[in-house]
Amino acid sequence: MIRSLRAAACAAAVALLAVPVAAQQFPSRPLTIVVPFAAGGPTDTVARSVAAAMEKPLGQPVVVENKPGAGGTLGADNVAKAAPDGYRLLVWHIGMSTSPALYRRLPFDPMKDYAHIGLINDVPMTLLVRNTLAVKDLGELVAWARANAGKATLANAGLGAASHLCGLLFQQAIQTEMITVPYKGTAPAITDLIGGQVDVLCDQTTNTTQQIRAGKVRAVALTAPARLSTLPDIPTAAEGGLKGFELGIWHALYAPKATPKPVVDKLVSALQAALANPDVQKRFAELGSVIYPVEQQTPEGLRKHLQAEIDKWGPVIKKAGVYAD
Ligand code: MLT
């Protein structure tokens, strides 16, 4: 009995020695979460809520760094190539699954170049018009866009952005091309929509709920199967005549691929603690978003979802014949 206990203790000691000391002591300094869009947008909102709620379980500050550009792929690549020590992470969304089809020279592989930590939440999108545009519903927007084909402007956060994907699907659905106006994020994009500099923007409720309620923009459709209790007056796209125009923007947390497993495990449990935080749950619910179940807040849950989304969006984007490079 004593001999087997001693053997077990030795085995545990050897196993512990096999883990680099840094991984055992992780985290011993502040962490950074990279957001690949400008500050103040929907991705930034999700990341800052999660970062703040991860600080207590990790016992370290978690700061957010905005690294916009190339529809989010610049910041994503920065983290893929960061030191695999768990201190530099990425929060990105559906763009991780659409970029392989959009960027023929994508500098990273979404499935191979990351340690996948877990899924975060899913966020519906709202199709918005500037207040000075005389359209009051989706049907009138479609008619106006068709009458102004090649002139109507559609803002987004660059190719690979959720706003780009939504705009692409909208143009396909109405068989009409619009002029795309790219921004470094949908925070600056919605500012220009409010100012009347652009005509249309499709953006996530995490960024649009407040502006819609304040009457600064007009929402003509929600890209969800059913209306939101947080925006009960916004009809779904199907109610407005565009059946099948549904799009949910999922977000997830990533680390560089060679991050040691003990570090990944600590990040997974910190993410799960953050998403179980009542303040985070309340804020995400108020903004119309749904947190994934805890079994998907895991490396396996994220990898499975990401592969399915890559398989789903690849053909859609190839059919649209849209490339970013
Ligand atoms: C997008 O993909 O459109 C982004 O969510 C925009 C942003 O977060 O700024």
Side-chain angles (χ1 to χ4, degrees):
M1 174 70 171
I2 290 178
R3 194 175 303 130
S4 59
L5 279 174
R6 191 175 294 128
C10 289
V14 167
L16 200 58
L17 286 173
V19 176
V21 171
Q24 293 173 36
Q25 294 165 350
F26 177 86
S28 57
R29 55 186 166 85
L31 290 82
T32 298
I33 291 183
V34 171
V35 167
F37 293 106
T43 308
D44 193 63
T45 298
V46 169
R48 288 182 193 274
S49 298
V50 168
M54 285 178 74
E55 291 189 340
K56 191 165 171 214
L58 287 171
Q60 288 290 343
V62 181
V63 299
V64 169
E65 176 187 320
N66 299 92
K67 205 167 188 54
T73 56
L74 209 67
D77 188 41
N78 175 270
V79 174
K81 294 178 171 60
D85 55 15
Y87 288 101
R88 192 165 179 81
L89 309 173
L90 169 72
V91 164
W92 198 17
H93 55 32
I94 195 170
M96 187 67 95
S97 66
T98 58
S99 295
L102 281 167
Y103 290 83
R104 286 168 289 195
R105 287 183 293 279
L106 193 65
F108 57 87
D109 181 319
M111 293 301 291
K112 294 182 188 147
D113 290 338
Y114 294 92
H116 303 80
I117 307 302
L119 282 165
I120 297 173
N121 65 349
D122 190 74
V123 186
M125 302 195 89
T126 43
L127 194 56
L128 311 174
V129 296
R130 57 181 164 81
N131 275 342
T132 49
L133 188 59
V135 299
K136 64 176 182 303
D137 59 27
L138 182 55
E140 290 187 9
L141 172 60
V142 172
W144 176 82
R146 285 174 174 156
N148 291 274
K151 285 184 289 185
T153 52
L154 176 67
N156 69 30
L159 294 188
S163 44
H164 161 249
L165 181 60
C166 185
L168 191 67
L169 297 176
F170 178 57
Q171 292 171 90
Q172 280 182 340
I174 66 171
Q175 293 294 300
T176 300
E177 286 235 351
M178 300 174 77
I179 294 178
T180 297
V181 183
Y183 291 80
K184 288 194 178 303
T186 47
I190 203 166
T191 299
D192 271 10
L193 187 75
I194 292 166
Q197 279 78 32
V198 283
D199 299 321
V200 181
L201 167 68
C202 187
D203 195 16
Q204 300 164 65
T205 54
T206 34
N207 195 35
T208 63
T209 298
Q210 191 181 347
Q211 309 294 7
I212 294 166
R213 287 180 178 158
K216 293 187 179 170
V217 293
R218 191 176 313 122
V220 295
L222 176 76
T223 67
R227 294 195 183 204
L228 292 178
S229 57
T230 49
L231 291 169
D233 302 333
I234 314 298
T236 64
E239 287 178 272
L242 282 186
K243 298 223 180 308
F245 181 35
E246 290 177 17
L247 182 59
I249 308 305
W250 54 273
H251 296 72
L253 182 66
Y254 303 84
K257 69 179 168 189
T259 305
K261 187 173 181 318
V263 171
V264 170
D265 293 346
K266 286 180 186 171
L267 291 170
V268 173
S269 55
L271 174 65
Q272 292 178 353
L275 295 177
N277 181 310
D279 295 339
V280 172
Q281 295 193 338
K282 182 169 178 288
R283 178 152 167 71
F284 282 174
E286 282 167 352
L287 295 174
S289 95
V290 176
I291 292 174
Y292 279 93
V294 66
E295 54 274 12
Q296 287 188 284
Q297 302 165 18
T298 58
E300 308 70 36
L302 173 49
R303 272 196 295 271
K304 187 164 173 253
H305 184 80
L306 175 56
Q307 187 59 67
E309 288 285 286
I310 290 170
D311 297 343
K312 171 183 174 183
W313 292 111
V316 173
I317 288 164
K318 283 195 171 50
K319 181 173 165 240
V322 174
Y323 292 105
D325 59 357

